[in-house]
Amino acid sequence: MKILTVIGARPQFIKAIALSHAVASTEGVEEVLLHTGQHYDDNMSAVFFRELGLAEPKYRFDLGGGSHGHMTGKQLSAIEDALVSERPDVCLVYGDTNSTLAGALAAAKLHVPVAHVEAGLRSFNRRMPEEVNRVLSDHAATWLFAPTQTAVENLAGEGIKGDRVQLVGDVMYDVARLVIDNPARRTDIVRRLGLEGRPYVVSTLHRQETTDDPARLVAILDALAETAKVMPVILPLHPRTRKTLAGLPQAEKAASVLTMTEPLGFFDMASLLAGARLVVTDSGGLQKEAFFHKVPCVTVRDETEWVELLQLGWNRLPESFDVQGIRTAIAGALASAPGNAGEPYGDGHAAKHILRYLMQTCK
Ligand code: UD1
């Protein structure tokens, strides 16, 4: 069986390592990696290949930046050419980025079966580019690998059901266990940032709905600045957020009391999370990684796809997007004591379940 895997954005490099490991230890399967180049900075892309030992992609394009339509269109055309020359048995895509949609659409049009990993997530907010990508990728997919029961139900609600929907758990949990099960793999980032023995907050902000809304961004930063009076707040900055902040004088004062860093590699981020008191983020992946490390989280968005964590008390959304609303959510999360949560994201072997299913089905 030949799998052509499309990756392009930071979380996809991390997710891909789980399946790539499973492929490496399985006979009769070959994986060809295609990197669209949606993310291209060293600390947004290459660092993950180096650290996680992800193979050099056979196809590497330079198709990042620009508007959504422009980016997706360029990727669609390049992926189509690669699919035509590779003739894989399956085209595998992850998550909800423009690279995901381009891969799913290119393959579906060529009648190459599409496997969508992290299928069925919904925010029910069609203004998010990611929501459009997820819905369309799910509807183009042949096989849908859902991380949660909620995702399975979301798909059923759209008429996608039966054996082609498989509840396999979350590949990000597979990858998080590389550090959780092996504390020796932690880096010295906590010491490097002078945080040893101190409580601290880890925050990331990169979503378009955050960065394109100055009032919201400033309210979040002001709330983080209040928190920084009590404990340090570490903010690794996505390149877009860095650009936005550079043109936003209202954010300068708050930003000056936060500890801003460059985007972090996988092991630095996991090591930082392992010792954190709280996570404040608009990222989908970080919400779950916080939970894997048993750190409470405030998600600074109007809604989240990972509703299990709200129900379990490990995550909360602000009731309003002014400073007070965000501070209240932060105070609530710091005071909370969520209990033992079980395993809402599977058994940590999602990649193996995916590969087994594909090898049985894709003949
Ligand atoms: C994308 C995904 C989002 C995912 C996120 C992970 C879409 C629609 N969104 O969002 O689901 O959570 O990746 O990080 O696909 N930039 C650089 N260097 C880079 C990468 C980006 O400077 O290496 C800048 C560019 O100006 C770019 C902007 O950041 O235009 C946004 O990047 P883009 O890939 O469009 O979206 P993300 O916000 O990263």
Short mmCIF file of all heavy atoms in Angstrom, two decimals, residues 145-209:
data_model
loop_
_atom_site.label_atom_id
_atom_site.label_comp_id
_atom_site.label_asym_id
_atom_site.label_seq_id
_atom_site.Cartn_x
_atom_site.Cartn_y
_atom_site.Cartn_z
N PHE A 145 -11.26 9.33 10.13
CA PHE A 145 -10.74 8.88 11.41
C PHE A 145 -11.03 9.95 12.46
O PHE A 145 -10.42 11.02 12.48
CB PHE A 145 -9.24 8.59 11.29
CG PHE A 145 -8.98 7.46 10.33
CD1 PHE A 145 -8.48 7.70 9.06
CD2 PHE A 145 -9.30 6.15 10.68
CE1 PHE A 145 -8.28 6.67 8.16
CE2 PHE A 145 -9.11 5.10 9.79
CZ PHE A 145 -8.60 5.36 8.52
N ALA A 146 -12.00 9.63 13.31
CA ALA A 146 -12.48 10.61 14.30
C ALA A 146 -11.71 10.44 15.61
O ALA A 146 -11.49 9.31 16.05
CB ALA A 146 -13.98 10.40 14.54
N PRO A 147 -11.34 11.56 16.24
CA PRO A 147 -10.62 11.46 17.50
C PRO A 147 -11.53 11.22 18.70
O PRO A 147 -11.08 10.72 19.73
CB PRO A 147 -9.91 12.81 17.62
CG PRO A 147 -10.73 13.76 16.81
CD PRO A 147 -11.38 12.95 15.72
N THR A 148 -12.80 11.63 18.59
CA THR A 148 -13.70 11.57 19.75
C THR A 148 -15.09 11.08 19.32
O THR A 148 -15.46 11.16 18.15
CB THR A 148 -13.90 12.97 20.38
OG1 THR A 148 -14.48 13.82 19.38
CG2 THR A 148 -12.61 13.58 20.87
N GLN A 149 -15.85 10.64 20.31
CA GLN A 149 -17.23 10.22 20.05
C GLN A 149 -18.05 11.42 19.55
O GLN A 149 -18.91 11.27 18.68
CB GLN A 149 -17.84 9.65 21.36
CG GLN A 149 -19.25 9.14 21.22
CD GLN A 149 -19.37 8.01 20.18
OE1 GLN A 149 -18.47 7.21 20.00
NE2 GLN A 149 -20.50 8.00 19.47
N THR A 150 -17.77 12.61 20.09
CA THR A 150 -18.48 13.81 19.63
C THR A 150 -18.28 14.00 18.13
O THR A 150 -19.21 14.35 17.40
CB THR A 150 -17.96 15.06 20.36
OG1 THR A 150 -17.91 14.80 21.75
CG2 THR A 150 -18.82 16.28 20.09
N ALA A 151 -17.06 13.77 17.67
CA ALA A 151 -16.75 13.93 16.25
C ALA A 151 -17.54 12.92 15.41
O ALA A 151 -18.06 13.25 14.34
CB ALA A 151 -15.25 13.78 16.02
N VAL A 152 -17.65 11.69 15.92
CA VAL A 152 -18.43 10.66 15.21
C VAL A 152 -19.88 11.14 15.08
O VAL A 152 -20.51 11.02 14.02
CB VAL A 152 -18.37 9.32 15.97
CG1 VAL A 152 -19.33 8.30 15.35
CG2 VAL A 152 -16.95 8.78 15.99
N GLU A 153 -20.40 11.70 16.17
CA GLU A 153 -21.80 12.16 16.15
C GLU A 153 -21.99 13.36 15.23
O GLU A 153 -23.00 13.47 14.53
CB GLU A 153 -22.25 12.49 17.58
CG GLU A 153 -22.48 11.21 18.39
CD GLU A 153 -22.42 11.41 19.90
OE1 GLU A 153 -22.57 12.56 20.36
OE2 GLU A 153 -22.18 10.41 20.60
N ASN A 154 -21.00 14.25 15.20
CA ASN A 154 -21.08 15.39 14.27
C ASN A 154 -21.18 14.90 12.83
O ASN A 154 -21.96 15.43 12.03
CB ASN A 154 -19.85 16.29 14.41
CG ASN A 154 -19.84 17.08 15.71
OD1 ASN A 154 -20.88 17.27 16.33
ND2 ASN A 154 -18.67 17.51 16.12
N LEU A 155 -20.36 13.90 12.51
CA LEU A 155 -20.39 13.36 11.14
C LEU A 155 -21.74 12.72 10.84
O LEU A 155 -22.32 12.93 9.77
CB LEU A 155 -19.25 12.35 10.95
CG LEU A 155 -17.84 12.95 10.94
CD1 LEU A 155 -16.79 11.85 11.00
CD2 LEU A 155 -17.62 13.81 9.70
N ALA A 156 -22.25 11.96 11.80
CA ALA A 156 -23.55 11.29 11.60
C ALA A 156 -24.63 12.34 11.33
O ALA A 156 -25.50 12.16 10.49
CB ALA A 156 -23.90 10.45 12.82
N GLY A 157 -24.52 13.48 12.02
CA GLY A 157 -25.48 14.56 11.85
C GLY A 157 -25.46 15.13 10.43
O GLY A 157 -26.43 15.77 10.00
N GLU A 158 -24.34 14.93 9.73
CA GLU A 158 -24.25 15.40 8.34
C GLU A 158 -24.38 14.24 7.35
O GLU A 158 -24.02 14.37 6.18
CB GLU A 158 -22.90 16.12 8.14
CG GLU A 158 -22.82 17.39 8.97
CD GLU A 158 -21.42 18.04 8.93
OE1 GLU A 158 -20.65 17.80 8.00
OE2 GLU A 158 -21.12 18.80 9.88
N GLY A 159 -24.86 13.09 7.86
CA GLY A 159 -25.13 11.95 6.97
C GLY A 159 -23.91 11.11 6.66
O GLY A 159 -23.94 10.26 5.77
N ILE A 160 -22.79 11.35 7.36
CA ILE A 160 -21.57 10.56 7.10
C ILE A 160 -21.47 9.53 8.22
O ILE A 160 -21.19 9.88 9.37
CB ILE A 160 -20.32 11.47 7.09
CG1 ILE A 160 -20.49 12.60 6.07
CG2 ILE A 160 -19.07 10.66 6.79
CD1 ILE A 160 -19.37 13.63 6.08
N LYS A 161 -21.74 8.28 7.91
CA LYS A 161 -21.74 7.25 8.96
C LYS A 161 -21.40 5.89 8.37
O LYS A 161 -21.16 5.78 7.18
CB LYS A 161 -23.07 7.23 9.69
CG LYS A 161 -24.30 7.25 8.82
CD LYS A 161 -25.52 7.47 9.70
CE LYS A 161 -26.61 8.14 8.90
NZ LYS A 161 -27.72 8.61 9.67
N GLY A 162 -21.44 4.88 9.23
CA GLY A 162 -21.11 3.53 8.78
C GLY A 162 -19.64 3.23 9.02
O GLY A 162 -18.93 3.98 9.68
N ASP A 163 -19.20 2.13 8.41
CA ASP A 163 -17.86 1.62 8.68
C ASP A 163 -16.75 2.57 8.25
O ASP A 163 -15.63 2.50 8.74
CB ASP A 163 -17.72 0.27 7.95
CG ASP A 163 -16.47 -0.46 8.41
OD1 ASP A 163 -16.26 -0.54 9.62
OD2 ASP A 163 -15.70 -0.88 7.53
N ARG A 164 -17.04 3.46 7.32
CA ARG A 164 -15.96 4.36 6.86
C ARG A 164 -15.61 5.43 7.89
O ARG A 164 -14.61 6.13 7.74
CB ARG A 164 -16.30 4.97 5.51
CG ARG A 164 -17.41 6.01 5.51
CD ARG A 164 -17.83 6.27 4.07
NE ARG A 164 -18.79 7.34 3.98
CZ ARG A 164 -18.53 8.58 3.57
NH1 ARG A 164 -17.31 8.91 3.20
NH2 ARG A 164 -19.47 9.48 3.51
N VAL A 165 -16.45 5.57 8.91
CA VAL A 165 -16.11 6.46 10.04
C VAL A 165 -15.54 5.58 11.16
O VAL A 165 -16.22 4.67 11.64
CB VAL A 165 -17.35 7.22 10.55
CG1 VAL A 165 -16.98 8.07 11.77
CG2 VAL A 165 -17.94 8.08 9.45
N GLN A 166 -14.31 5.83 11.55
CA GLN A 166 -13.65 5.02 12.58
C GLN A 166 -13.25 5.91 13.75
O GLN A 166 -12.57 6.92 13.56
CB GLN A 166 -12.39 4.37 12.00
CG GLN A 166 -12.65 3.33 10.94
CD GLN A 166 -13.16 2.04 11.53
OE1 GLN A 166 -12.58 1.51 12.48
NE2 GLN A 166 -14.27 1.53 11.01
N LEU A 167 -13.67 5.51 14.95
CA LEU A 167 -13.25 6.22 16.16
C LEU A 167 -11.91 5.63 16.59
O LEU A 167 -11.85 4.49 17.05
CB LEU A 167 -14.31 6.04 17.26
CG LEU A 167 -14.00 6.62 18.63
CD1 LEU A 167 -13.75 8.12 18.56
CD2 LEU A 167 -15.13 6.33 19.61
N VAL A 168 -10.83 6.38 16.40
CA VAL A 168 -9.49 5.82 16.65
C VAL A 168 -8.75 6.52 17.79
O VAL A 168 -7.68 6.09 18.19
CB VAL A 168 -8.61 5.91 15.37
CG1 VAL A 168 -9.13 4.97 14.30
CG2 VAL A 168 -8.51 7.34 14.85
N GLY A 169 -9.28 7.64 18.29
CA GLY A 169 -8.54 8.46 19.25
C GLY A 169 -7.73 9.51 18.51
O GLY A 169 -7.82 9.64 17.28
N ASP A 170 -6.95 10.24 19.27
CA ASP A 170 -6.29 11.44 18.76
C ASP A 170 -4.79 11.16 18.54
O ASP A 170 -4.08 10.80 19.48
CB ASP A 170 -6.48 12.55 19.80
CG ASP A 170 -6.06 13.90 19.27
OD1 ASP A 170 -5.17 13.96 18.40
OD2 ASP A 170 -6.63 14.90 19.72
N VAL A 171 -4.32 11.38 17.31
CA VAL A 171 -2.89 11.16 17.05
C VAL A 171 -2.01 12.09 17.89
O VAL A 171 -0.86 11.77 18.19
CB VAL A 171 -2.51 11.31 15.56
CG1 VAL A 171 -2.94 10.10 14.75
CG2 VAL A 171 -3.03 12.59 14.96
N MET A 172 -2.55 13.25 18.30
CA MET A 172 -1.74 14.15 19.12
C MET A 172 -1.45 13.55 20.49
O MET A 172 -0.44 13.86 21.12
CB MET A 172 -2.43 15.51 19.28
CG MET A 172 -2.30 16.34 18.03
SD MET A 172 -2.67 18.06 18.30
CE MET A 172 -1.23 18.61 19.18
N TYR A 173 -2.36 12.70 20.95
CA TYR A 173 -2.11 12.02 22.23
C TYR A 173 -0.96 11.03 22.06
O TYR A 173 -0.08 10.93 22.92
CB TYR A 173 -3.39 11.33 22.70
CG TYR A 173 -3.29 10.68 24.06
CD1 TYR A 173 -2.50 11.24 25.06
CD2 TYR A 173 -3.98 9.51 24.35
CE1 TYR A 173 -2.40 10.65 26.31
CE2 TYR A 173 -3.89 8.92 25.60
CZ TYR A 173 -3.09 9.48 26.56
OH TYR A 173 -3.00 8.88 27.80
N ASP A 174 -0.95 10.32 20.92
CA ASP A 174 0.17 9.40 20.63
C ASP A 174 1.49 10.16 20.77
O ASP A 174 2.44 9.68 21.38
CB ASP A 174 0.13 8.88 19.18
CG ASP A 174 -1.10 8.05 18.83
OD1 ASP A 174 -2.11 8.16 19.52
OD2 ASP A 174 -1.02 7.31 17.82
N VAL A 175 1.53 11.37 20.17
CA VAL A 175 2.79 12.12 20.11
C VAL A 175 3.13 12.72 21.49
O VAL A 175 4.28 12.71 21.91
CB VAL A 175 2.74 13.21 19.02
CG1 VAL A 175 4.10 13.87 18.86
CG2 VAL A 175 2.30 12.63 17.69
N ALA A 176 2.10 13.22 22.19
CA ALA A 176 2.35 13.81 23.52
C ALA A 176 2.99 12.79 24.46
O ALA A 176 3.81 13.14 25.31
CB ALA A 176 1.04 14.33 24.12
N ARG A 177 2.65 11.53 24.26
CA ARG A 177 3.19 10.49 25.15
C ARG A 177 4.70 10.31 25.00
O ARG A 177 5.35 9.75 25.87
CB ARG A 177 2.46 9.18 24.90
CG ARG A 177 1.03 9.23 25.44
CD ARG A 177 0.33 7.91 25.30
NE ARG A 177 1.16 6.84 25.81
CZ ARG A 177 0.98 5.55 25.50
NH1 ARG A 177 0.00 5.19 24.71
NH2 ARG A 177 1.77 4.63 25.99
N LEU A 178 5.26 10.80 23.88
CA LEU A 178 6.72 10.72 23.71
C LEU A 178 7.42 11.42 24.88
O LEU A 178 8.51 11.03 25.29
CB LEU A 178 7.17 11.40 22.41
CG LEU A 178 6.78 10.75 21.08
CD1 LEU A 178 7.21 11.62 19.92
CD2 LEU A 178 7.41 9.37 20.98
N VAL A 179 6.79 12.48 25.40
CA VAL A 179 7.40 13.22 26.53
C VAL A 179 6.77 12.79 27.85
O VAL A 179 7.46 12.59 28.85
CB VAL A 179 7.25 14.74 26.32
CG1 VAL A 179 7.73 15.50 27.55
CG2 VAL A 179 8.05 15.17 25.10
N ILE A 180 5.44 12.62 27.86
CA ILE A 180 4.76 12.29 29.12
C ILE A 180 5.29 10.96 29.68
O ILE A 180 5.55 10.83 30.87
CB ILE A 180 3.23 12.25 28.91
CG1 ILE A 180 2.74 13.67 28.59
CG2 ILE A 180 2.51 11.67 30.12
CD1 ILE A 180 1.33 13.74 28.06
N ASP A 181 5.51 9.99 28.79
CA ASP A 181 6.00 8.67 29.24
C ASP A 181 7.51 8.66 29.43
O ASP A 181 8.05 7.69 29.97
CB ASP A 181 5.61 7.58 28.23
CG ASP A 181 4.10 7.39 28.14
OD1 ASP A 181 3.39 7.97 28.98
OD2 ASP A 181 3.64 6.67 27.24
N ASN A 182 8.20 9.69 28.94
CA ASN A 182 9.67 9.73 29.03
C ASN A 182 10.11 11.10 29.52
O ASN A 182 10.61 11.92 28.73
CB ASN A 182 10.31 9.50 27.65
CG ASN A 182 9.94 8.16 27.07
OD1 ASN A 182 10.35 7.13 27.58
ND2 ASN A 182 9.15 8.19 26.01
N PRO A 183 9.96 11.37 30.83
CA PRO A 183 10.33 12.70 31.32
C PRO A 183 11.78 13.06 31.01
O PRO A 183 12.12 14.25 30.93
CB PRO A 183 10.09 12.60 32.84
CG PRO A 183 9.14 11.45 33.00
CD PRO A 183 9.38 10.51 31.86
N ALA A 184 12.61 12.06 30.75
CA ALA A 184 14.02 12.36 30.43
C ALA A 184 14.14 13.12 29.11
O ALA A 184 15.17 13.73 28.84
CB ALA A 184 14.81 11.05 30.33
N ARG A 185 13.09 13.11 28.31
CA ARG A 185 13.15 13.82 27.02
C ARG A 185 12.82 15.31 27.18
O ARG A 185 12.85 16.05 26.20
CB ARG A 185 12.23 13.18 26.00
CG ARG A 185 12.65 11.75 25.70
CD ARG A 185 11.96 11.20 24.49
NE ARG A 185 12.53 11.72 23.24
CZ ARG A 185 12.21 11.27 22.03
NH1 ARG A 185 11.35 10.30 21.91
NH2 ARG A 185 12.75 11.79 20.95
N ARG A 186 12.50 15.73 28.40
CA ARG A 186 12.24 17.16 28.60
C ARG A 186 13.52 17.96 28.37
O ARG A 186 14.60 17.52 28.74
CB ARG A 186 11.76 17.42 30.03
CG ARG A 186 10.35 16.93 30.27
CD ARG A 186 9.88 17.44 31.62
NE ARG A 186 8.77 16.66 32.10
CZ ARG A 186 8.29 16.71 33.34
NH1 ARG A 186 8.86 17.50 34.24
NH2 ARG A 186 7.26 15.97 33.71
N THR A 187 13.36 19.14 27.82
CA THR A 187 14.52 20.02 27.62
C THR A 187 14.70 20.88 28.88
O THR A 187 13.92 20.79 29.83
CB THR A 187 14.29 20.96 26.42
OG1 THR A 187 13.27 21.90 26.79
CG2 THR A 187 13.86 20.20 25.17
N ASP A 188 15.70 21.76 28.83
CA ASP A 188 15.97 22.61 30.00
C ASP A 188 15.29 23.98 29.86
O ASP A 188 15.74 24.96 30.46
CB ASP A 188 17.47 22.78 30.20
CG ASP A 188 18.11 23.54 29.04
OD1 ASP A 188 17.42 23.73 27.99
OD2 ASP A 188 19.28 23.93 29.15
N ILE A 189 14.21 24.06 29.11
CA ILE A 189 13.60 25.38 28.84
C ILE A 189 13.12 26.08 30.11
O ILE A 189 13.20 27.31 30.22
CB ILE A 189 12.47 25.28 27.79
CG1 ILE A 189 11.97 26.69 27.48
CG2 ILE A 189 11.31 24.39 28.26
CD1 ILE A 189 11.37 26.89 26.16
N VAL A 190 12.62 25.32 31.07
CA VAL A 190 12.11 25.93 32.30
C VAL A 190 13.26 26.65 33.02
O VAL A 190 13.11 27.79 33.48
CB VAL A 190 11.46 24.85 33.21
CG1 VAL A 190 11.11 25.43 34.57
CG2 VAL A 190 10.21 24.28 32.53
N ARG A 191 14.43 26.01 33.03
CA ARG A 191 15.60 26.65 33.64
C ARG A 191 16.05 27.86 32.80
O ARG A 191 16.32 28.93 33.32
CB ARG A 191 16.74 25.63 33.76
CG ARG A 191 17.95 26.13 34.54
CD ARG A 191 19.12 25.16 34.49
NE ARG A 191 19.53 24.83 33.13
CZ ARG A 191 20.20 25.66 32.31
NH1 ARG A 191 20.54 26.86 32.72
NH2 ARG A 191 20.53 25.28 31.08
N ARG A 192 16.08 27.66 31.47
CA ARG A 192 16.54 28.75 30.58
C ARG A 192 15.70 30.01 30.74
O ARG A 192 16.19 31.12 30.63
CB ARG A 192 16.50 28.29 29.11
CG ARG A 192 17.75 27.57 28.65
CD ARG A 192 17.69 27.32 27.15
NE ARG A 192 16.89 26.15 26.84
CZ ARG A 192 16.02 26.05 25.84
NH1 ARG A 192 15.80 27.08 25.04
NH2 ARG A 192 15.35 24.94 25.64
N LEU A 193 14.41 29.82 31.01
CA LEU A 193 13.54 30.99 31.16
C LEU A 193 13.45 31.46 32.61
O LEU A 193 12.66 32.34 32.94
CB LEU A 193 12.14 30.68 30.61
CG LEU A 193 12.04 30.46 29.09
CD1 LEU A 193 10.65 30.00 28.69
CD2 LEU A 193 12.40 31.74 28.33
N GLY A 194 14.24 30.87 33.47
CA GLY A 194 14.26 31.29 34.88
C GLY A 194 12.98 30.95 35.63
O GLY A 194 12.57 31.71 36.52
N LEU A 195 12.35 29.83 35.29
CA LEU A 195 11.04 29.53 35.86
C LEU A 195 11.08 28.39 36.89
O LEU A 195 10.03 28.01 37.42
CB LEU A 195 10.06 29.13 34.74
CG LEU A 195 9.83 30.19 33.66
CD1 LEU A 195 9.09 29.60 32.47
CD2 LEU A 195 9.04 31.36 34.24
N GLU A 196 12.27 27.88 37.17
CA GLU A 196 12.36 26.73 38.06
C GLU A 196 11.70 27.00 39.40
O GLU A 196 11.97 28.04 40.04
CB GLU A 196 13.82 26.35 38.29
CG GLU A 196 14.31 25.32 37.31
CD GLU A 196 15.83 25.16 37.37
OE1 GLU A 196 16.52 26.17 37.56
OE2 GLU A 196 16.27 24.02 37.23
N GLY A 197 10.84 26.08 39.83
CA GLY A 197 10.21 26.19 41.15
C GLY A 197 9.16 27.27 41.22
O GLY A 197 8.67 27.59 42.31
N ARG A 198 8.79 27.87 40.10
CA ARG A 198 7.78 28.95 40.13
C ARG A 198 6.56 28.54 39.32
O ARG A 198 6.70 27.88 38.28
CB ARG A 198 8.34 30.23 39.48
CG ARG A 198 9.60 30.73 40.14
CD ARG A 198 10.26 31.77 39.27
NE ARG A 198 9.52 33.04 39.24
CZ ARG A 198 9.82 34.05 38.43
NH1 ARG A 198 10.82 33.94 37.57
NH2 ARG A 198 9.12 35.17 38.46
N PRO A 199 5.36 28.98 39.76
CA PRO A 199 4.20 28.77 38.89
C PRO A 199 4.28 29.75 37.72
O PRO A 199 4.78 30.87 37.88
CB PRO A 199 3.01 29.10 39.80
CG PRO A 199 3.56 29.98 40.86
CD PRO A 199 5.04 29.69 40.99
N TYR A 200 3.84 29.33 36.56
CA TYR A 200 3.83 30.23 35.39
C TYR A 200 2.72 29.82 34.43
O TYR A 200 2.18 28.71 34.50
CB TYR A 200 5.20 30.21 34.70
CG TYR A 200 5.64 28.86 34.20
CD1 TYR A 200 5.29 28.38 32.95
CD2 TYR A 200 6.42 28.03 35.02
CE1 TYR A 200 5.69 27.13 32.50
CE2 TYR A 200 6.83 26.77 34.59
CZ TYR A 200 6.45 26.32 33.34
OH TYR A 200 6.84 25.07 32.91
N VAL A 201 2.40 30.77 33.54
CA VAL A 201 1.35 30.57 32.54
C VAL A 201 2.00 30.46 31.17
O VAL A 201 2.94 31.20 30.87
CB VAL A 201 0.36 31.76 32.54
CG1 VAL A 201 -0.72 31.60 31.47
CG2 VAL A 201 -0.26 31.95 33.92
N VAL A 202 1.50 29.55 30.34
CA VAL A 202 1.94 29.47 28.93
C VAL A 202 0.77 29.93 28.06
O VAL A 202 -0.35 29.46 28.23
CB VAL A 202 2.33 28.03 28.54
CG1 VAL A 202 2.75 27.98 27.06
CG2 VAL A 202 3.45 27.52 29.43
N SER A 203 1.06 30.84 27.14
CA SER A 203 -0.01 31.35 26.29
C SER A 203 0.43 31.34 24.83
O SER A 203 1.60 31.59 24.53
CB SER A 203 -0.37 32.78 26.72
OG SER A 203 -1.41 33.28 25.91
N THR A 204 -0.50 31.02 23.92
CA THR A 204 -0.25 31.21 22.49
C THR A 204 -1.49 31.83 21.85
O THR A 204 -2.61 31.53 22.25
CB THR A 204 0.08 29.89 21.74
OG1 THR A 204 -1.10 29.08 21.66
CG2 THR A 204 1.19 29.10 22.40
N LEU A 205 -1.25 32.70 20.89
CA LEU A 205 -2.34 33.40 20.18
C LEU A 205 -1.97 33.47 18.71
O LEU A 205 -0.94 34.06 18.38
CB LEU A 205 -2.49 34.83 20.73
CG LEU A 205 -2.73 34.96 22.23
CD1 LEU A 205 -2.55 36.41 22.67
CD2 LEU A 205 -4.14 34.48 22.58
N HIS A 206 -2.75 32.86 17.85
CA HIS A 206 -2.41 32.97 16.43
C HIS A 206 -3.62 33.00 15.50
O HIS A 206 -3.49 33.34 14.34
CB HIS A 206 -1.51 31.81 16.00
CG HIS A 206 -2.25 30.52 15.80
ND1 HIS A 206 -2.56 29.68 16.84
CD2 HIS A 206 -2.78 29.95 14.69
CE1 HIS A 206 -3.22 28.65 16.37
NE2 HIS A 206 -3.39 28.77 15.08
N ARG A 207 -4.80 32.65 16.01
CA ARG A 207 -5.96 32.52 15.12
C ARG A 207 -6.31 33.85 14.46
O ARG A 207 -6.23 34.91 15.10
CB ARG A 207 -7.19 32.08 15.91
CG ARG A 207 -7.09 30.72 16.46
CD ARG A 207 -7.69 29.71 15.54
NE ARG A 207 -7.51 28.40 16.12
CZ ARG A 207 -7.74 27.27 15.48
NH1 ARG A 207 -8.17 27.29 14.25
NH2 ARG A 207 -7.54 26.13 16.08
N GLN A 208 -6.80 33.72 13.25
CA GLN A 208 -7.20 34.91 12.51
C GLN A 208 -8.25 35.71 13.29
O GLN A 208 -8.22 36.94 13.31
CB GLN A 208 -7.77 34.46 11.17
CG GLN A 208 -7.95 35.55 10.18
CD GLN A 208 -8.34 34.98 8.81
OE1 GLN A 208 -7.75 34.02 8.33
NE2 GLN A 208 -9.33 35.57 8.19
N GLU A 209 -9.19 35.01 13.95
CA GLU A 209 -10.25 35.75 14.65
C GLU A 209 -9.70 36.50 15.88
O GLU A 209 -10.36 37.39 16.40
CB GLU A 209 -11.44 34.86 15.02
CG GLU A 209 -11.15 33.69 15.92
CD GLU A 209 -10.91 32.39 15.15
OE1 GLU A 209 -10.30 32.44 14.06
OE2 GLU A 209 -11.29 31.33 15.66
#
